[in-house]
Structures are given as C-alpha cells and as structure tokens.
Amino acid sequence: MNKMLHQLQSYDFALQEAALFLNSHPNDQQALAYYNEMQACSQELTRQYENQYGPLTNKTNSGSEWDYIHGKWPWEGED
Amino acid sequence: MWTYEKKLQFPVNIQTPDPAFAKIVITQIGGPDGELSASMRYLNQRYAMPYDQIKAMLTDIGTEELAHLEMVSAIVYQLTRNLSMEEIEKEGFSAYYVDHTTGIWPQAASGAAFTSAYFQSKGDPITDLMEDMAAEQKARTTYDNLIRAAKDPNVIEPLVFLREREIVHFQRFGEALAYVQTHLNPNNYYRYNPAFD
C-alpha cells in the first residue's frame, strides 16, 4: 500500500468536494479558505509523488526518459 | 481518474447559425463513427491490453476523443444558438427541437440514439486494434463527407482539425498493432488472442 498515494487521493478528494460546494456557494469565504489549503497540500504532494513514482499525467513527464508508460496502471491494483 | 480542463482542444467560434448542418454534424457526437463511441471504445478496451505502451495509447486517445466530443458539441451548440421558431421549421430542425429543444443529445444524423453497439471491446488486442484502425478511417470518411457539405470557414476549420486527428490516431494504432504482432509468441502463427490463450 502506498501511503503517499492515499494521502494524495485524500487531498484531491477534499479539493473536489470543496469545488462542488463552491460551485453552489461561490461567496463562502470559509469554503474558499479550505479549498486554498487543500490545493496547496495537493500541489506539494503531487510534486513529491511524481518525483518519486513518475508522472501522473501525460503532461507532467520530466527528465530524459518517457516514464509515463511505466509502472502499474490504476485498475491493476496496488503492490 | 480524470480532471476537466476549461478549454477546447481547438477553437470553435461560429457566428452564423445553421440548424440544417447541425442536424448532420451531430452524428460525430452520437453516431456510429462519432467521438462518444470512439472514446468509449478505447477507454473500455484498455483493461484487456497487456502492453504498457498501448495501455497508455488507449488511455490518451480515449481521453482526447472526449475533448473531440466537446468540440463537436460546441459546434452543434453554436450552430443552433438563438434560433427563431421560423428558422427551426424552415431548416428542418423541428423533429430534433420537439424532443430536445436546442439541448445536446447524442444521436446519429438519422436520429438514431447513441448505443454501445457502435463499438466493440473484444478482449483480444489484435482484434481490438484492427477495429480501432477501421474506426479511425470511418470517422475520417465521415469528416470528409461533412467538410464537403460545409460552407462556413468557421465550421470547416475545426472539422479539418478533427479529420487530421483521425489520421494521426490511425497511424498510432497501426504502430500499436505492429508492436503486438512483433511481441507475439513465435509459435502463435494464427494470431490467437495474446491476452487470453
């Protein structure tokens, strides 16, 4: 089980949940503050995760190799 | 998982409504060789594909097809914007209008509803990739037919882009098929399912 991945899934889920709420409550400052906090957490952890395990999207491959195709695909389950 | 980006893959800016053309271009939303069927074909085929680089290809092309679905939907939306009842009747848009007003609903040019019978996911990489190459050609032919019928350059431009993508995807799937065939067990003369047998 990959703890970093699970933490990232939690941040991104929180971000999604906040976004849905903000769509119908765009002036809610408390929700917006929560969204901003989760966004910062998600961005930082995405950076760390991709450095360690490779790109999560085909737009974030970095370095001199095409790593995007390597590693398990999400539907195959975790190691 | 997926994330939405609030932009089109290629601009669609149509100023002049044309419900008659909307009625035929809608086939690339929900018709037999349309973008919805293309996306569902590739995204569903991924699970039976044993090779990482082709899993990536099916994922990325299946995702791009969703962006194409959005482009064709934008075309239909802009072609049917601010229509009067008179224009709807004169341009033969009444049958669509009565069921959907000017909302977007996936159907073929004939009016037939979208169905998953428009694509196959056979669980055999060679069978599936052959289907994918044929599908790209059928979609390219459909765009050829649409471009021939279109007059507005603002409609033609995005259609030409979409046609070109069919050609590129056909090329990529051809490479995928070649990859599968060179990685087959040398005793598999008759190309039996390399994902199952």
Side-chain angles (χ1 to χ4, degrees), chain A residues 4-5 7-9 11-12 15 38-57 60:
Chain A
M4 199 191 275
L5 176 64
Q7 186 61 56
L8 183 56
Q9 286 170 323
Y11 286 147
D12 283 349
L15 206 48
M38 289 302 110
Q39 185 189 56
C41 292
S42 167
Q43 284 175 354
E44 174 54 25
L45 196 59
T46 299
R47 197 187 57 75
Q48 289 176 26
Y49 181 88
E50 289 190 317
N51 277 342
Q52 196 164 335
Y53 297 102
L56 284 164
T57 81
T60 50

Side-chain angles (χ1 to χ4, degrees), chain A residues 12 58-59 66 68-76, chain B residues 1 5 7 46-47 49 52-53 55-57 59-60:
Chain A
D12 283 349
N58 68 1
K59 298 204 306 191
W66 186 246
Y68 173 61
I69 54 176
H70 298 135
K72 268 195 164 182
W73 287 77
W75 59 86
E76 295 166 336
Chain B
M1 71 166 287
E5 286 190 27
K7 61 177 167 50
R46 300 184 298 162
Y47 304 93
M49 181 54 68
D52 279 347
Q53 61 188 74
K55 289 175 210 172
M57 192 184 292
T59 301
D60 290 355

Side-chain angles (χ1 to χ4, degrees), chain B residues 85-136:
Chain B
M85 212 40 242
E86 204 184 358
E87 288 168 310
I88 286 172
E89 282 167 11
K90 196 172 64 147
E91 303 253 3
F93 200 66
S94 304
Y96 186 90
Y97 159 82
V98 73
D99 283 338
H100 312 291
T101 326
T102 54
I104 302 290
W105 188 70
Q107 67 165 51
S110 65
F114 174 77
T115 159
S116 54
Y118 288 153
F119 65 87
Q120 183 53 288
S121 175
K122 203 69 180 172
D124 180 325
I126 297 176
T127 312
D128 282 347
L129 287 166
M130 293 264 187
E131 150 137 347
D132 300 347
M133 293 178 72
E136 294 294 335

Side-chain angles (χ1 to χ4, degrees), chain B residues 36-51:
Chain B
L36 181 56
S37 109
S39 179
M40 292 303 102
R41 177 180 298 112
Y42 308 142
L43 294 181
N44 285 295
Q45 287 177 356
R46 300 184 298 162
Y47 304 93
M49 181 54 68
Y51 307 106

Side-chain angles (χ1 to χ4, degrees), chain B residues 157-172:
Chain B
E157 257 183 67
L159 292 179
V160 166
F161 172 83
L162 290 166
R163 176 190 180 276
E164 189 62 34
R165 299 310 295 156
E166 308 300 338
I167 294 166
V168 171
H169 293 170
F170 175 77
Q171 200 63 29
R172 296 284 88 84

